[in-house]
């Protein structure tokens, strides 16, 4: 993970790989949000998804990092921010099993929605 790298070049290389992998879900998430709902509800589905993503990601994310940083600072000092941010990456990685579980019924869900596959 780039959070633990000691030099800038290694950190940037690791970040590029992390960023690419971390954002692979975005296109399919929005496509599914549009494909699994009736045409008349697509705007509502997009708005709901965007609201949840923003509330959790931009609302709770910084709060979580700050609280973690405050908790780790007495023992980790300046390195506490590294571990606080690393914890957020771990939380994101925990989503992978849920995406895989959803994928098991995706074909049937799309067919039921009339989107086809």
């Amino acid at each position: 993970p780039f959070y633990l790298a000691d030099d800038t070049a290694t950190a940037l290389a690791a970040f590029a790989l992390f960023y690419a992998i971390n954002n692979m879900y975005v296109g399919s998430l929005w496509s599914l949000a549009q494909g699994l709902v009736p045409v008349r509800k697509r705007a509502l589905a997009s708005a709901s998804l965007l609201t949840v993503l923003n509330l959790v990601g931009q609302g709770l994310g910084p709060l979580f990092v700050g609280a973690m940083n405050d908790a780790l600072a007495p023992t980790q000092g300046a390195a506490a921010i590294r571990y606080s941010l690393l914890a957020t990456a771990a939380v994101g990685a925990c989503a992978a099993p849920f995406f895989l579980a959803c994928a098991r019924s995706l074909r049937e869900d799309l067919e039921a929605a009339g989107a086809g596959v």
Side-chain angles (χ1 to χ4, degrees), residues 45-105:
S46 291
S48 300
L49 180 57
L50 194 57
T51 299
V52 171
L53 290 174
N54 281 320
L55 287 176
V56 174
Q58 295 178 355
L60 296 179
L63 181 67
F64 175 76
V65 170
M68 255 325 245
N69 195 50
D70 289 345
L72 292 175
T75 58
Q76 301 298 320
I81 191 68
R82 286 182 169 194
Y83 301 111
S84 301
L85 290 170
L86 191 58
T88 63
V91 169
C94 290
F98 294 104
F99 276 100
L100 291 172
C102 291
R104 290 185 182 155
S105 65

Side-chain angles (χ1 to χ4, degrees), residues 11-62:
L12 288 175
F15 177 74
L17 179 63
F18 168 79
Y19 193 76
I21 293 171
N22 189 49
N23 288 302
M24 284 183 174
Y25 77 96
V26 175
S28 54
L29 178 69
W30 287 99
S31 295
L32 288 173
Q34 298 297 299
L36 291 173
V37 297
V39 174
R40 296 182 60 102
K41 294 185 180 180
R42 287 183 178 171
L44 179 61
S46 291
S48 300
L49 180 57
L50 194 57
T51 299
V52 171
L53 290 174
N54 281 320
L55 287 176
V56 174
Q58 295 178 355
L60 296 179

